Amino acid sequence: MGREEYQELVRSLTARLRRRGAGAGAQQELVSCSVLAANAGHNRDWSWPCDSEVGGFNPYGWNATDQARFTAVWCDAADDLVDELIEAYGAMWPWVCPSQLLTRLPDVAGAIRGLTEHRMIGQGHTYRDKPDSVYEHAAMYGAFHAARSRRVWPDSPRQVCPLCRAPFTGGQLNPWMIRQFGPARWCKQCCTGARDGNGALHTPAAARQAVVALAAALGTVPPQNFAQSPVAFDLPDRQRDAIVTAMAACPPAKTIRALHGTASWLDVLRTTEIVGDAWRPARGTYCSATDGHPCRSLAERTIDDWLTRHGISHQIEPLWPKHPRFNPHGRRRADWQFTDGTYLEYAGLNSDDYVAKIQAKQDLARATGIRLVVITPPDLANLTAVLGEWIPQSR
Ligand SMILES: [Zn+2]
């Protein structure tokens, strides 16, 4: 079923339900029908046409009461954030909304999560017992309807994949592709290929060559979890294309380790001569920023280099003050500290408990009275939006 047929079906169902003066039950029926219809074909479209009654993704029973309660904790600042996300991500903006609310507007995210913990919203969700899943869904669906009531945005346009020349639309990409690779650029097959890697390389020499090629594309030592790492959004497009191509040509880290008969990624790297024998990573350090600061990931290097480029002076790894509950041994460190005392942390989103992890950092910051900014992969597309106030000339 194509996009137009689907929209027509939703329109007719909506009109029919309106004529009957339909209640919540009938609305739910509409939601289920339209989602089934949209997902029936091979050419599944996950995007969120702004004129849609339901959005383009499984609403997991999200209903009018959920929306009313959600809207009660929404605010103007959240509208502004959504406008910014629409600029960067087009119709795919809701996929990055949960993490962005969490780090940019923690109070709003906290209120939404509070509603989920008290089972006041999202109880039609398959995983209603998991507040983080319900939060994530609410932050997408509730925000979608809140934004739809006040503005429109362009539908996901047809584009051509620069790697394989296949035509596609951003709406065909899965949510994780948007989170890992940023605004739609590569087709679904190429995104999947980059994550899954090359299963056809079966000699250590060929695998080593692929790792060396990946290191060259990245401009740094590939971390062991390279297949799940976000491709830094602010690199030139040609380099980003080269990284995704090299990821697809590289076997999974597990295969590479097995081919070399070692459990250690560092051992593999030593055999490639990407790193010398004397090289020892400290605390998982894999590369250095241009100012010499050690970084644990390419994302950290992207941020550190961005700070340097914009003349923002920064210290690395400041200790958090001791706190009886949140930092009892006084050993926890943040990633960076600015001269005004603000702490900066980078949080990848590739663990299931990222909401809890980020909230723990925020709790510690609140308890110690330190201002904290948390950066997540979607922020790498536009660090100025998050860190602009620290650029010297704008103060
Ligand atoms: Zn492609």
Side-chain angles (χ1 to χ4, degrees):
M1 176 173 287
R3 159 73 63 80
E4 273 157 33
E5 285 171 274
Y6 153 62
Q7 285 178 340
E8 186 48 47
L9 178 79
V10 172
R11 264 194 294 276
S12 71
L13 275 167
T14 311
R16 221 171 67 213
L17 290 167
R18 278 208 187 109
R19 272 201 301 280
R20 280 195 212 138
Q27 275 294 340
Q28 218 41 63
E29 187 192 336
L30 158 71
V31 162
S32 316
C33 286
S34 53
V35 167
L36 282 177
N39 290 347
H42 293 298
N43 213 7
R44 180 181 292 206
D45 188 330
W46 298 97
S47 74
W48 302 57
C50 51
D51 59 347
S52 164
E53 288 294 316
V54 294
F57 183 59
N58 187 348
Y60 288 107
W62 186 257
N63 63 36
T65 308
D66 291 329
Q67 189 61 39
R69 288 174 173 163
F70 181 94
T71 304
V73 302
W74 199 246
C75 64
D76 291 349
D79 281 341
D80 293 344
L81 175 61
V82 165
D83 288 347
E84 198 185 285
L85 296 181
I86 292 172
E87 285 297 312
Y89 290 88
M92 308 307 287
W93 67 268
W95 304 135
V96 291
C97 205
S99 63
Q100 290 282 289
L101 280 173
L102 191 61
T103 56
R104 305 276 298 276
L105 298 171
D107 292 346
V108 177
I112 298 168
R113 205 166 176 291
L115 289 173
T116 72
E117 274 165 11
H118 291 95
R119 296 178 170 269
M120 289 177 70
I121 57 172
Q123 292 309 292
H125 198 286
T126 319
Y127 303 111
R128 64 180 68 84
D129 295 328
K130 295 181 177 165
D132 282 356
S133 301
V134 177
Y135 161 79
E136 193 159 53
H137 181 251
M140 295 189 291
Y141 235 93
F144 167 73
H145 287 298
R148 197 171 65 90
S149 67
R150 66 181 175 82
R151 65 162 290 174
V152 296
W153 54 84
D155 210 350
S156 53
R158 290 192 74 74
Q159 55 195 104
V160 172
C161 175
L163 301 184
C164 70
R165 313 308 301 170
F168 72 104
T169 77
Q172 292 163 344
L173 303 182
N174 290 2
W176 68 263
M177 298 172 180
I178 301 295
R179 294 185 188 123
Q180 182 174 355
F181 296 115
R185 175 167 178 82
W186 305 290
C187 74
K188 192 169 183 168
Q189 285 70 26
C190 288
C191 291
T192 307
R195 184 191 58 177
D196 293 350
N198 183 348
L201 284 186
H202 297 302
T203 68
R208 277 200 300 278
Q209 207 168 28
V211 175
V212 170
L214 179 60
L218 289 169
T220 186
V221 182
Q224 176 157 225
N225 65 348
F226 65 85
Q228 286 80 42
S229 300
V231 175
F233 301 166
D234 73 340
L235 297 172
D237 283 342
R238 282 182 60 182
Q239 187 183 357
R240 299 179 76 230
D241 291 348
I243 292 170
V244 171
T245 304
M247 284 169 71
C250 198
K254 203 172 115 189
T255 308
I256 300 171
R257 288 199 318 266
L259 283 171
H260 287 82
T262 173
S264 155
W265 183 244
L266 187 56
D267 283 349
V268 171
L269 294 177
R270 288 202 174 106
T271 65
T272 61
E273 295 176 1
I274 293 172
V275 301
D277 279 346
W279 191 76
R280 296 274 184 289
R283 290 188 65 213
T285 300
Y286 275 114
C287 55
S288 295
T290 48
D291 65 359
H293 285 153
C295 304
R296 281 180 291 272
S297 68
L298 194 61
E300 282 192 12
R301 196 181 76 169
T302 299
I303 296 163
D304 200 287
D305 285 349
W306 188 93
L307 296 174
T308 303
R309 207 160 59 238
H310 290 84
I312 302 172
S313 57
H314 54 283
Q315 301 295 313
I316 54 167
E317 309 210 319
L319 279 167
W320 284 98
K322 238 176 163 169
H323 183 274
R325 179 159 162 223
F326 300 116
N327 189 22
H329 303 291
R331 286 191 206 122
R332 298 193 58 176
R333 290 173 186 273
D335 293 323
W336 297 273
Q337 181 181 17
F338 296 146
T339 48
D340 70 355
T342 303
Y343 281 20
L344 181 62
E345 292 245 29
Y346 173 71
L349 301 175
N350 42 15
S351 70
D352 285 342
D353 56 347
Y354 77 86
V355 175
K357 279 185 175 166
I358 292 174
Q359 281 187 331
K361 292 181 206 291
Q362 290 168 337
D363 285 341
L364 176 56
R366 213 170 290 121
T368 53
I370 287 176
R371 184 172 174 200
L372 168 68
V373 176
V374 182
I375 304 249
T376 59
D379 295 317
L380 300 176
N382 185 6
L383 286 171
T384 308
V386 193
L387 300 174
E389 67 177 279
W390 284 277
I391 298 176
Q393 64 269 25
S394 70
R395 300 207 98 174

